[in-house]
Amino acid sequence: MITEKPFYLEQANELLIAKTAYHNRLPILLKGPTGCGKTRFMQRLAWELARPLITVSCHDDLSTSDLVGRFLIKGGEAVWMDGPLTTAIRAGAICYLDEIVEARKDTTVVIHPLADDRRELPIEKLGETLSAPPEFMLAISYNPGYQSVLKDLKQSTRQRFVSFEFNYPTPELEASIVQEESGIEHQLALKLVRLAAMTRSLKDSGLQEGASTRLLIHAGKLIKSNIPPRTACKAAITETLTDDHEMLAALEEMSNSLF
Amino acid sequence: MITEKPFYLEQANELLIAKTAYHNRLPILLKGPTGCGKTRFMQRLAWELARPLITVSCHDDLSTSDLVGRFLIKGGEAVWMDGPLTTAIRAGAICYLDEIVEARKDTTVVIHPLADDRRELPIEKLGETLSAPPEFMLAISYNPGYQSVLKDLKQSTRQRFVSFEFNYPTPELEASIVQEESGIEHQLALKLVRLAAMTRSLKDSGLQEGASTRLLIHAGKLIKSNIPPRTACKAAITETLTDDHEMLAALEEMSNSLF
Amino acid sequence: MITEKPFYLEQANELLIAKTAYHNRLPILLKGPTGCGKTRFMQRLAWELARPLITVSCHDDLSTSDLVGRFLIKGGEAVWMDGPLTTAIRAGAICYLDEIVEARKDTTVVIHPLADDRRELPIEKLGETLSAPPEFMLAISYNPGYQSVLKDLKQSTRQRFVSFEFNYPTPELEASIVQEESGIEHQLALKLVRLAAMTRSLKDSGLQEGASTRLLIHAGKLIKSNIPPRTACKAAITETLTDDHEMLAALEEMSNSLF
Amino acid sequence: MITEKPFYLEQANELLIAKTAYHNRLPILLKGPTGCGKTRFMQRLAWELARPLITVSCHDDLSTSDLVGRFLIKGGEAVWMDGPLTTAIRAGAICYLDEIVEARKDTTVVIHPLADDRRELPIEKLGETLSAPPEFMLAISYNPGYQSVLKDLKQSTRQRFVSFEFNYPTPELEASIVQEESGIEHQLALKLVRLAAMTRSLKDSGLQEGASTRLLIHAGKLIKSNIPPRTACKAAITETLTDDHEMLAALEEMSNSLF
Amino acid sequence: MITEKPFYLEQANELLIAKTAYHNRLPILLKGPTGCGKTRFMQRLAWELARPLITVSCHDDLSTSDLVGRFLIKGGEAVWMDGPLTTAIRAGAICYLDEIVEARKDTTVVIHPLADDRRELPIEKLGETLSAPPEFMLAISYNPGYQSVLKDLKQSTRQRFVSFEFNYPTPELEASIVQEESGIEHQLALKLVRLAAMTRSLKDSGLQEGASTRLLIHAGKLIKSNIPPRTACKAAITETLTDDHEMLAALEEMSNSLF
Amino acid sequence: MITEKPFYLEQANELLIAKTAYHNRLPILLKGPTGCGKTRFMQRLAWELARPLITVSCHDDLSTSDLVGRFLIKGGEAVWMDGPLTTAIRAGAICYLDEIVEARKDTTVVIHPLADDRRELPIEKLGETLSAPPEFMLAISYNPGYQSVLKDLKQSTRQRFVSFEFNYPTPELEASIVQEESGIEHQLALKLVRLAAMTRSLKDSGLQEGASTRLLIHAGKLIKSNIPPRTACKAAITETLTDDHEMLAALEEMSNSLF
């Protein structure tokens, strides 16, 4: 349960649409690059809907049992233990499956009956089917930039969700976020945002991905703690983005042109 | 057990043929794209035959034990627990294996003796063979669009079933479905159906699959809740269908030409 | 134990040779396409030899333990439970391993000492070796059409068996089978056989496999239940054989030329 | 323990060399095609040395534990159970690992300290090392014809063994074996041997392997039981060797030229 | 807990930045070749921050459970046992995951909520979420030289860390380290450093990697123990770097030119 | 514990360097082809240092638990059982991991903290870290001839060891070894060594590896037991080296030219 209003600056009308989806009992899908605010958005949505938020970071070995639950041996007895998805349904919470495409395929299929108008979770090992209460919401996210033949979301999964594309905020908005979160001045924050824009323009011409807002906040915090800006940008941004020495030199030059 | 008559508009005479297959104790195979009504058809068939419906969403890790049953340790004893297929046989229910080709190969083979005139399920771990009562029916589905060398239905499996091809309904019929399910007016529903037709014509020239009826219902629900049509179509249809920015622009243009 | 004489029309002298192999304690190998009567042949052979028949449908995950047996925990004790192969040996039954090449490699090797003149099954987990009684017979089947580098029967396995090639029966014979099993008239059965012959001639030029006798029986049953012949052939035969729309049109044309 | 002298006709002086290796405590490696007498040779050698023979058919999933032993739960206790290799060492028996290259790699490595002058088997799970008594002998076999990059015997394994190449016996010798084992006349046996020679000459030009002596014995037994020679050769030899219809026709022609 | 000040010569201001990251509760990422002092740096940092250091060497089979903890059966009860990461959080220690890219993917994902501003570790099997105290620090390392498609750090992981690139120290500094650690004279240490520089210049033109500082210390220790320098360099450096005979000859020539 | 001085003829000063490494607490790496004396060298080194020798033959499935230890269920309790590496550390023994590259990757990483100046083995399942006493030594071996992309020793592993390359001894030395071990005369031993040299010159032009000293000893033993030299060389050397018939003919000709 989130008790303080999370800091989140809306980019369009994404909160309104998500709340409308919630009241129509439709699940949502967040798409977008790393560190651009998807997790924050979910925290804010949960706060606005006054529902608990249960986040699961998906990975290669995440199985259905990890989500739904499993039997554990206690005192010689097999005792059932709910997984985070089952817990979220029982509690009428919002369950957020972060980077769903990383999970094993069974995980994306187990949410199918939950993500259409049945809103049911079959718990095969208990031999029962759980109906989701109206308060429950399912949300998933994925990063289209990582999309591959092996790690794509099947159409039969996608076509159950209301979808949102997330992207980097506008420069002015992003600088406000960096200022708020790191405590540095607005002018300095704007310079960091400008550096980020440069790195983002290099995407697919050498850089796998540009600097996220989070990295700007890191750099801001180091600067606030008296690390010189160039040194802070090197540690928090450029060395974090790449290992390629030519690219590092190019990024450092950009940084030097600003600070 | 389905208690209310499920809303289903027949495309041809599929309900009659399926019921004839049922009375001849023949299993059925549903083929077709995602979200075009296969699940609804099964619900309606179960309601018409007055039999319980047990649905299993198949996936990569679905094993024979998940279907047939397994031993669990309870109080130091191994206690047998029926899987959904075994439960369906004992209850004389309809067992619907959704997207069967996603399952592990052993799963498709375990249904062989059940899907021919033997109508038996060998439960090797119990050392017994279960005979299906006349009331039991086996149904499977798969999406030929996803067919691949690795994920194809073997002829020795296929040639046990009576088969049905499902497709998108006619425009008039589809608009009626969207109207009924979302509560919007018929004219608006027809526009959504027209948008869907445009997306379906793009299949294989950039889109993996066109918009399903379900997505139209989602858009309808958002519009009914006062989200402007263009915004609703973007969130419920276009962003759900693809991540490609050029394709998104093309789809949005189509949407704008209608609303 | 099969109590009623199974309906089986001999194609050549396969029953005589199989019985001679049985009396010489030689195992047999059945080769041929799906649905052409291998399972029925085994049922008839078992009935003629008056031995019980134990059939195992092989699959990718079928392990030695599934065949030979395993320990189960009961009341804190590991209790041995015979697998179907061990049961067959102890009972002097006929053990029929259907589609053996689908099984894991260990399964094909475990039958080696059982399939040569030793006629022994080493049960490593019990530390004992079981000698097969003279009444026991081992039979395996496979479909050469599915043969691949990965799923081929090794020569060291093959060269232990007396082999039989199964194929579709002659038209007259096949029509008699369809008539007997579905209850339709002979003329209609002959038309179905003619349709089947057309589909079989398309094998490898678009169709993976032609219609089996079983599919003709399905169509016959639907027709007997008042489904019009063209509709019955579509559901029972053409839609079952392929998903390719051009091929479907071609098959439907063939069907229309007959009915 | 083999109680009757196994029928074996020596091809060269292989029994003498194997016995010399035994008395020098050197392990042996048998190479050669399927069904040419390797198993019989081992039975005869065991009989001549008056030692028990323990045969293990190796396969893809054969693990070290399958050979060495494992803990089983009995009455809540983990009870150790010797595998066949450990049993053979304790009993001073001959342990014959048939088709060793089929086994998992750990299996071929576990025999390394047993196959050099240490003659020891470390049983890691018991934390002890077993010394082989002078009576113990290790023998392995493999079929060079199946040799592949993945399934080759490593030089560090090979270079521990005294090696023997087995091949088909001379015609006169092979006919005597077929006569002895099937009970047919010598002239007929010679014809079968001639047919076998024809099939062996086709090796690598269409046939994976020629007919083994075992198949000739099978054909002989069927003929002895009044199956006509051509029919017997078809079932026991040609259909067993291949599924290719052109090759089958060629083989049948050969058979017809002889009978 | 490290009780003696570890010997570490700073290359730039890496200790200051790392301590600033620590006080801002930011995790750190160390990049660089093997044996250039990353482990020592962590030991020194832990000593300066007066926090215990828990190091985990990552590998292919390192699972989430290995890091987070697992249930063990004790006296018939499932008893939870913290893994090293959980232990580090509870103790407010520094947890150093060495060569993180070697670990299974689930391991890199499980640290995501711990590595951003949530600083939480969800322990799914206990159904609880652990909040890291301010004293806790997460550090990871990887070797960009080994980077591959399969073993790369995802951007969604990288973009949570403040990063440091480590490299070989300057000749004078490296000689001081070798002198200190092996006890040999400075002139001799300088010669070893010169040999190392030669090997490092061969990187990617035959050598996978140049000699690390650690190898120079090994050579120094052997020389200190009266092994002649050329022999010591051969055993400690050249034979350790490569198996290629031409490359070995070239390296030996270099060594001979110095000693 | 080795009680008799193992017969070992030093090729260079490898025993002295290894003992110096031992006294400097440095681990050692033995490189070289199969059967050239690495195992004997370790036995002699253990004898000279008067420490017990624990040898582990590594293989594909060797896991960390196999080396470090695992819990076993005894009387319903999980009882810890040291693996060979842990046993060696506690006993201050020499632990020799033979053919380390064959082991799973986790095995090579678990020795990292043990192979640098920490000399520690973290036993994660016990939650403790074991410090190696000064008496403990770690030794590993591998065969560079088998080196491949998949089975290479990582630089981060290599650069922790003092390395030794082993090769075949000089002819005079090798003949002395053969004479000593097999009991044949020196002249005959020299002839066997000459045959071995011929086979070694064929390496990479048809032979995977030349005859090891061990094979010469085998041939010598057979000759000593009155097997004619040519027959003995065929069984012990040529048939052991290869299955290729042309190569076998060439090797036999070499053998015939000598005996």
Side-chain angles (χ1 to χ4, degrees), chain D residues 55-69:
Chain D
T55 302
V56 180
S57 300
C58 297
H59 55 75
D60 265 30
D61 298 296
L62 192 90
S63 68
T64 303
S65 297
D66 292 326
L67 276 188
V68 174

Side-chain angles (χ1 to χ4, degrees), chain E residues 34 39-40 43 55-62 70 72-76 81 99 102 146 208-212 214-215 218 221-222 225 227 231 235-236 239-243 245 248, chain F residues 13 16-17 20-21 24 26-27 31 64 71 73 76-78 104-106 109 112-113 116-118 124-127 142 144 147 152-156 158-165:
Chain E
T34 191
T39 298
R40 269 295 165 87
Q43 291 175 329
T55 302
V56 180
S57 301
C58 297
H59 54 76
D60 265 30
D61 297 298
L62 191 88
R70 57 165 52 89
L72 277 178
I73 308 297
K74 284 210 176 151
M81 197 158 150
E99 300 217 32
E102 297 296 325
Y146 291 160
Q208 221 190 328
E209 201 157 320
S212 64
R214 184 189 290 135
L215 292 195
H218 287 185
K221 282 180 172 173
L222 292 184
S225 301
I227 300 289
T231 310
E239 286 284 359
T240 295
L241 287 179
T242 186
D243 307 318
H245 284 111
L248 279 171
Chain F
N13 47 4
L16 174 65
I17 303 177
T20 306
N24 279 287
L26 299 176
K31 312 189 292 184
T64 303
F71 281 101
I73 308 297
E77 278 290 317
R104 296 200 322 191
K105 286 290 167 66
D106 58 337
V109 167
H112 278 196
D116 61 26
D117 60 358
R118 286 174 287 174
E124 274 151 29
K125 279 176 189 149
L126 289 181
Y142 91 118
Q147 204 176 353
D152 202 1
L153 216 47
K154 294 198 303 175
Q155 285 288 332
S156 61
R158 288 181 82 119
Q159 296 208 7
R160 289 160 198 272
F161 291 85
V162 172
S163 308
F164 301 84
E165 189 177 14

Side-chain angles (χ1 to χ4, degrees), chain C:
Chain C
M1 201 73 189
I2 294 159
T3 48
E4 274 175 86
K5 180 172 179 174
F7 175 72
Y8 179 77
L9 293 178
E10 206 171 4
Q11 295 185 31
N13 48 1
E14 62 265 26
L15 277 168
L16 173 65
I17 304 178
K19 285 188 282 186
T20 306
Y22 177 80
H23 294 303
N24 279 287
R25 300 179 194 176
L26 298 177
I28 60 174
L29 160 64
L30 316 185
K31 313 189 290 185
T34 190
C36 70
K38 296 192 298 278
T39 298
R40 268 296 165 85
F41 171 77
M42 285 312 302
Q43 291 175 329
R44 177 65 170 265
L45 180 63
W47 184 84
E48 299 218 351
L49 294 171
R51 304 304 319 153
L53 174 68
I54 293 179
T55 301
V56 180
S57 300
C58 298
H59 55 75
D60 264 30
D61 299 297
L62 192 90
S63 67
T64 303
S65 296
D66 292 325
L67 276 189
V68 175
R70 55 165 54 86
F71 281 101
L72 277 177
I73 308 298
K74 284 210 176 150
E77 277 291 317
V79 178
W80 175 260
M81 196 156 148
D82 280 346
L85 183 58
T86 308
T87 300
I89 295 172
R90 294 202 207 274
I94 299 176
C95 188
Y96 175 43
L97 306 177
D98 192 14
E99 300 216 33
I100 183 92
V101 285
E102 298 295 326
R104 297 200 321 192
K105 289 290 169 62
D106 57 337
T107 307
T108 46
V109 167
V110 86
I111 59 170
H112 278 195
L114 194 60
D116 61 26
D117 60 357
R118 287 174 286 173
R119 287 175 66 87
E120 290 174 349
L121 180 71
I123 308 181
E124 273 151 31
K125 279 175 190 150
L126 289 181
E128 77 180 57
T129 294
L130 202 63
S131 280
E135 291 79 18
F136 170 78
M137 182 187 221
L138 179 67
I140 65 177
S141 79
Y142 91 119
N143 183 340
Y146 291 162
Q147 203 176 355
S148 73
V149 175
L150 275 174
K151 296 225 160 162
D152 202 0
L153 216 46
K154 294 197 303 173
Q155 286 288 332
S156 62
T157 304
R158 286 180 83 117
Q159 297 210 6
R160 288 161 199 273
F161 290 86
V162 172
S163 308
F164 300 85
E165 189 176 14
F166 280 75
N167 222 315
Y168 305 114
T170 59
E172 199 46 49
L173 187 57
E174 190 165 27
S176 304
I177 295 170
V178 173
Q179 182 183 3
E180 165 79 21
E181 301 252 340
S182 69
I184 57 170
E185 287 172 34
H186 195 69
Q187 281 313 309
L188 202 55
L190 267 174
K191 277 191 187 173
L192 288 172
V193 168
R194 237 170 280 146
L195 179 58
M198 287 171 178
T199 65
R200 290 166 192 166
S201 71
L202 290 172
K203 202 192 154 176
D204 294 329
S205 43
L207 269 191
Q208 222 189 328
E209 200 157 322
S212 63
T213 310
R214 185 190 289 135
L215 292 194
L216 307 186
I217 296 167
H218 286 186
K221 283 179 173 174
L222 291 184
I223 293 168
K224 181 80 185 171
S225 302
N226 299 316
I227 301 288
R230 287 186 181 185
T231 310
C233 287
K234 187 167 190 279
I237 302 178
T238 58
E239 288 284 358
T240 295
L241 286 179
T242 185
D243 307 316
D244 184 272
H245 284 111
E246 284 182 40
M247 184 52 76
L248 279 171
L251 293 177
E252 217 147 321
E253 217 168 283
M254 287 175 183
S255 170
N256 294 352
S257 73
L258 286 164
F259 299 101

Side-chain angles (χ1 to χ4, degrees), chain E residues 73-115:
Chain E
I73 308 297
K74 284 210 176 151
E77 278 291 317
V79 178
W80 176 260
M81 197 158 150
D82 281 346
L85 183 58
T86 308
T87 301
I89 294 172
R90 293 201 206 275
I94 299 175
C95 186
Y96 175 44
L97 306 177
D98 193 14
E99 300 217 32
I100 182 90
V101 286
E102 297 296 325
R104 297 202 320 193
K105 287 290 166 64
D106 58 337
T107 308
T108 47
V109 167
V110 87
I111 60 171
H112 278 196
L114 195 59

Side-chain angles (χ1 to χ4, degrees), chain F residues 8-152:
Chain F
Y8 179 77
L9 293 177
E10 206 171 6
Q11 294 184 30
N13 47 4
E14 63 266 24
L15 277 168
L16 174 65
I17 303 177
K19 284 188 283 185
T20 306
Y22 177 79
H23 294 303
N24 279 287
R25 300 177 194 178
L26 299 176
I28 60 174
L29 160 64
L30 317 186
K31 312 189 292 184
T34 192
C36 70
K38 296 192 296 283
T39 298
R40 269 296 164 86
F41 171 77
M42 285 311 303
Q43 291 175 328
R44 178 64 171 266
L45 180 63
W47 185 84
E48 298 217 352
L49 294 172
R51 306 302 320 151
L53 174 67
I54 294 179
T55 301
V56 180
S57 301
C58 297
H59 54 75
D60 265 30
D61 297 298
L62 191 89
S63 68
T64 303
S65 297
D66 292 325
L67 276 188
V68 174
R70 57 165 52 89
F71 281 101
L72 277 178
I73 308 297
K74 286 211 175 150
E77 278 290 317
V79 178
W80 175 260
M81 196 157 149
D82 281 346
L85 183 58
T86 308
T87 301
I89 294 172
R90 294 202 206 274
I94 299 175
C95 187
Y96 174 44
L97 305 177
D98 193 14
E99 300 217 34
I100 183 90
V101 287
E102 297 296 326
R104 296 200 322 191
K105 286 290 167 66
D106 58 337
T107 308
T108 46
V109 167
V110 87
I111 61 171
H112 278 196
L114 194 59
D116 61 26
D117 60 358
R118 286 174 287 174
R119 287 175 66 88
E120 289 173 350
L121 180 71
I123 308 182
E124 274 151 29
K125 279 176 189 149
L126 289 181
E128 75 177 61
T129 294
L130 203 63
S131 279
E135 292 79 16
F136 171 78
M137 183 185 220
L138 180 67
I140 64 177
S141 77
Y142 91 118
N143 183 341
Y146 292 160
Q147 204 176 353
S148 73
V149 175
L150 274 174
K151 296 229 161 160
D152 202 1

Side-chain angles (χ1 to χ4, degrees), chain E residues 27 57 100-101 104 151 155 157 170 216 218 220 223 230-232 236:
Chain E
S57 301
I100 182 90
V101 286
R104 297 202 320 193
K151 297 230 161 160
Q155 286 287 332
T157 304
T170 60
L216 307 186
H218 287 185
I223 293 168
R230 287 184 180 187
T231 310

